[in-house]
Amino acid sequence: MLNFKKKDLCIEQVKLSDIAKEYGTSTYVYSKNQFINNFESYKKALGVRGIICFACKANSNRTILKLLADIGAGADTTSGGEIYRCLNANFNPSKIVYAGVGKTFEEIEYALKNKIFMFNVESLEELDAINKIAGRVKTKAKIAFRINPYVDPDTHSYIATGKKGTKFGIPYEDAVKAYLIAKKKKNVIVLGIHSHIGSQILDIKPFKVAAQKIKKIIDDLEKNGIGLEYINCGGGLGIKYSKDQKAPSPDQLMSELFSVFDKDKKFIFEPGRSIIANAGYLLVKVIYRKFSGGKNFLITDAGMNDLMRPTLYEAYHEVMPIKKINTKKVKTDVVGPICESGDFIGKDRMLPVLAQGEYVLVTCVGAYGAAMSSEYNSRPLLAEVLVDGNKTTLIRKRAKWEDLLSNEEQK
Ligand code: LLP
């Protein structure tokens, strides 16, 4: 929802220069209408065939979660903390699913007591734990097995999860056996099957291959008298980070996947990035400029602690000035203030010559931006601002230096 009002870059109807003035920098800024639209296009594509569970690891800001819960989103969670946040943000527990290879006993108990919809179970030892704890708290746990379908999603190796040799899910060849074991557990109700093959996937093909492999398991289970109601296709749909990329729509993804399965099946999708990434921006200030080793550097007030993706995955995020400037463009490295050469936002970017104190905007950081930030170098967590039309709201206060010490011994 970026646009220009004369020379000023705006998110929805608000000038970024006004946001910088009012809230300071660096600041995460979100376009409400962008992520609502993104969610609505998933909802429309799915219709009444199931639930869209927002992967809240992508962005767990309470206001954003509440807005999504309000329009009918479920949540895909991966820790007790995420379940806690989602319940607090008014998600209906009957729309919360819970995945993760290392659910602790405390987390399982918390999830059961709060009557979440379904566990995506990732090992037989986890199944045992869930069955025992459900017995102890006198309830029944609804489960799907997360199956590793051994599909290479062609994405960064750190975020490819459905490949042979990763830690995720039940090995493909053990799937039927796992269901036969689960069927005998007293405190477990077998409800579905889950696979999540990875993230930032721009090609529908690997999703479809995984779906076909899951269908094969469903057929084998039916032969063994086990019928499944829900198919959870995970998340992972990629977004367009740069102009030369193309991303399929939720509708395209779903129509390919629906064609694999029988008409009576219900579906769960767990999108994170494709809901919130392009709704989020990082507004940063140029603190200093430097020419060194034949290169121009813009040193900004945001570091790798605030946005880890470039450092961790060498991820590309577009960087742009927030004013229309007609000066000539020069090759520039946009970097942060942290004491590591890996602390950069973008390298070799053609940017106009900017003055000290001007601002630049980093795009598509709504997913895994604020969510993965830390206090490294004792830098307090950033403010987050929501834009809705011509209105802005502070949805997370900028932390202070005092906050850095709040959980430490005060003697
Ligand atoms: N479901 C499960 C079980 C997941 O593990 C994930 C993401 C999702 C859904 C949502 O995937 P999405 O729709 O967002 O692709 N930090 C990395 C991404 C890690 C993704 C982890 N799992 C990044 O910044 O690229």
Side-chain angles (χ1 to χ4, degrees):
M1 302 251 167
L2 279 183
N3 61 91
F4 275 99
K5 260 191 203 156
K6 295 193 177 144
K7 291 196 162 180
D8 284 286
L9 188 61
C10 301
I11 292 179
E12 303 199 13
Q13 293 162 41
V14 183
K15 287 182 195 167
L16 281 148
S17 53
D18 289 345
I19 295 178
K21 240 182 270 158
E22 184 167 355
Y23 300 100
T25 58
S26 15
T27 295
Y28 275 100
V29 188
Y30 303 97
S31 158
K32 175 180 159 186
N33 291 293
Q34 181 68 62
F35 69 78
I36 299 283
N37 287 352
N38 293 343
F39 180 77
E40 292 294 352
S41 57
Y42 264 99
K43 218 166 108 177
K44 192 165 156 226
L46 182 61
V48 293
R49 297 192 70 177
I51 317 173
I52 306 294
C53 292
F54 174 61
C56 68
K57 61 173 79 64
N59 192 310
S60 53
N61 180 283
R62 184 168 182 271
T63 306
I64 292 174
L65 293 182
K66 275 181 82 175
L67 287 166
L68 288 168
D70 279 354
I71 54 170
D76 160 45
T77 61
T78 201
S79 69
E82 284 189 355
I83 296 172
Y84 173 80
R85 270 188 182 274
C86 288
L87 293 171
N88 184 276
N90 285 340
F91 279 89
N92 189 332
S94 69
K95 289 187 182 174
I96 296 179
V97 294
Y98 179 20
V101 289
K103 302 175 186 82
T104 66
F105 300 167
E106 292 76 15
E107 288 175 315
I108 292 170
E109 182 169 338
Y110 178 69
L112 285 168
K113 285 186 170 160
N114 283 286
K115 304 190 176 0
I116 66 155
F117 183 35
M118 209 185 310
F119 289 82
N120 293 324
V121 178
E122 306 223 14
S123 67
L124 289 176
E125 289 194 356
E126 183 193 327
L127 176 74
D128 267 341
I130 292 174
N131 182 53
K132 273 200 197 105
I133 299 167
R136 184 154 50 73
V137 301
K138 300 194 172 29
T139 187
K140 298 225 184 287
K142 284 179 269 179
I143 68 140
F145 277 112
R146 176 175 181 171
I147 306 298
N148 187 334
Y150 299 163
V151 170
D152 184 349
D154 187 22
T155 187
H156 191 286
S157 64
Y158 290 2
I159 55 174
T161 50
K163 265 164 95 167
K164 198 170 189 168
T166 62
K167 66 181 174 182
F168 297 98
I170 302 282
Y172 188 72
E173 63 277 13
D174 296 343
V176 174
K177 199 171 73 197
Y179 278 96
L180 293 172
I181 294 170
K183 259 302 189 202
K184 296 200 186 109
K185 301 279 181 199
K186 256 178 49 200
N187 308 311
V188 158
I189 299 168
V190 173
L191 206 60
I193 189 161
H194 172 258
S195 90
H196 169 78
I197 58 173
S199 196
Q200 183 53 16
I201 303 167
L202 290 169
D203 183 2
I204 291 182
K205 218 197 252 144
F207 287 110
K208 187 146 186 187
V209 174
Q212 284 159 340
K213 294 182 92 169
I214 294 295
K215 169 75 162 87
K216 166 96 182 48
I217 296 172
I218 294 174
D219 290 346
D220 289 351
L221 288 173
E222 274 169 10
K223 282 182 210 140
N224 283 283
I226 300 175
L228 300 179
E229 197 179 337
Y230 279 92
I231 299 164
N232 184 333
C233 301
L237 189 61
I239 66 137
K240 191 176 152 68
Y241 281 103
S242 64
K243 291 197 176 77
D244 56 338
Q245 285 179 319
K246 246 181 132 174
S249 67
D251 191 37
Q252 285 166 325
L253 174 70
M254 284 186 207
S255 53
E256 284 291 329
L257 297 188
F258 291 164
S259 69
V260 175
F261 299 103
D262 297 343
K263 293 249 170 331
D264 62 329
K265 296 293 179 202
K266 290 188 193 140
F267 291 87
I268 297 169
F269 286 87
E270 302 173 336
R273 188 189 314 267
S274 48
I275 302 285
I276 195 70
N278 70 354
Y281 302 85
L282 183 58
L283 178 59
V284 308
K285 180 151 105 181
V286 175
I287 312 176
Y288 299 115
R289 300 163 318 158
K290 162 183 296 196
F291 186 78
S292 176
K295 268 188 168 189
N296 291 293
F297 290 90
L298 290 182
I299 299 159
T300 73
D301 57 0
M304 62 191 263
N305 68 303
D306 303 308
L307 176 64
M308 223 218 254
R309 301 195 71 256
T311 306
L312 192 57
Y313 315 113
E314 296 191 59
Y316 176 90
H317 290 273
E318 203 178 335
V319 180
M320 56 179 75
I322 65 162
K323 299 261 178 203
K324 252 186 203 154
I325 309 175
N326 289 325
T327 56
K328 79 168 194 320
K329 291 192 171 161
V330 291
K331 208 185 247 186
T332 307
D333 278 13
V334 184
V335 302
I338 287 179
C339 314
E340 299 199 26
S341 297
D343 176 32
F344 64 91
I345 292 175
K347 286 185 173 168
D348 296 330
R349 302 301 175 82
M350 292 309 289
L351 286 173
V353 176
L354 294 173
Q356 196 180 8
E358 286 194 279
Y359 298 98
V360 289
L361 191 69
V362 189
T363 69
C364 291
V365 295
Y368 310 108
M372 288 173 73
S373 59
S374 78
E375 294 174 338
Y376 183 43
N377 273 215
S378 286
R379 293 165 48 82
L381 296 181
L382 300 184
E384 294 178 74
V385 170
L386 184 75
V387 178
D388 179 12
N390 59 9
K391 212 178 94 204
T392 60
T393 314
L394 183 65
I395 58 171
R396 184 185 171 103
K397 274 194 234 160
R398 186 179 305 284
K400 300 195 178 78
W401 287 338
E402 297 91 279
D403 298 323
L404 297 171
L405 294 178
S406 62
N407 286 319
E408 296 181 29
E409 197 182 38
Q410 303 291 328
K411 274 205 291 226

